[in-house]
Amino acid sequence: GDAGLYGMAGPILELAEDIEVEVVPGVTSAFSAASVLGAPIMHDFCTISLSDLLTPWEVIEKRIDLASKSDFVISIYNPRSKGRKEHIEKTVDIMLRYKSKDTPVGIVKHSGRDGEEKVITTLGNIDYEFMDMMTMVIVGNRESYIKDGNIVTPRGYKL
């Protein structure tokens, strides 16, 4: 992952005193999963973590609502844990206010690691049991589509 995206760069920089800290970029889980799924992040997108350990759930819900209303491609971190199984289901319910049930969804478990698995489905057909904390979920926008086992979000180039 990337230390600057849901990683430890922030806390280290906040705590560091009288030492030099170098933040080394990495490949985010969102980009790793996107490469497994094809090209779902070819236009504006956002990342949202469903972990409410450091962010109140009400804030997360508002972000999901506004991102969905704005038709962003949405990369979801921390979709489901043993103690937090219902957050992803609530997230999908919020998204369905603005997105079609036919919106492409890519689910990648263990992206870039041994045991990598992917599922390409739609917002109306998600298997929640497949997800855990090692899973990335990427939900397309209204232009995203599935082609030859990949998710494609057009950028708008005329080919």
Side-chain angles (χ1 to χ4, degrees), residues 77-140:
Y77 283 73
N78 307 308
R80 195 167 190 260
S81 68
K82 290 178 184 174
R84 197 178 24 74
K85 295 181 179 185
E86 72 286 346
H87 283 17
I88 186 64
E89 294 176 32
K90 290 178 183 178
T91 296
V92 169
D93 288 343
I94 294 167
M95 289 180 174
L96 284 170
R97 295 178 194 160
Y98 308 100
K99 294 178 178 283
S100 163
K101 64 179 178 52
D102 297 322
T103 302
V105 175
I107 305 168
V108 181
K109 189 183 286 189
H110 302 290
S111 185
R113 298 183 173 123
D114 288 339
E116 178 180 274
E117 298 177 78
K118 84 171 183 178
V119 172
I120 293 181
T121 188
T122 62
L123 202 54
N125 289 307
I126 292 177
D127 176 8
Y128 299 109
E129 295 300 317
F130 179 75
M131 298 178 204
D132 60 21
M133 291 295 281
M134 297 300 293
T135 306
M136 280 298 307
V137 179
I138 300 180
V139 180

Side-chain angles (χ1 to χ4, degrees), residues 7 10 25 34 40 44 46 51 59 64 98 104-105 135 141 150:
D44 294 337
C46 68
S51 174
V59 172
I64 296 162
Y98 308 100
V105 175
T135 306
N141 68 15
N150 292 302

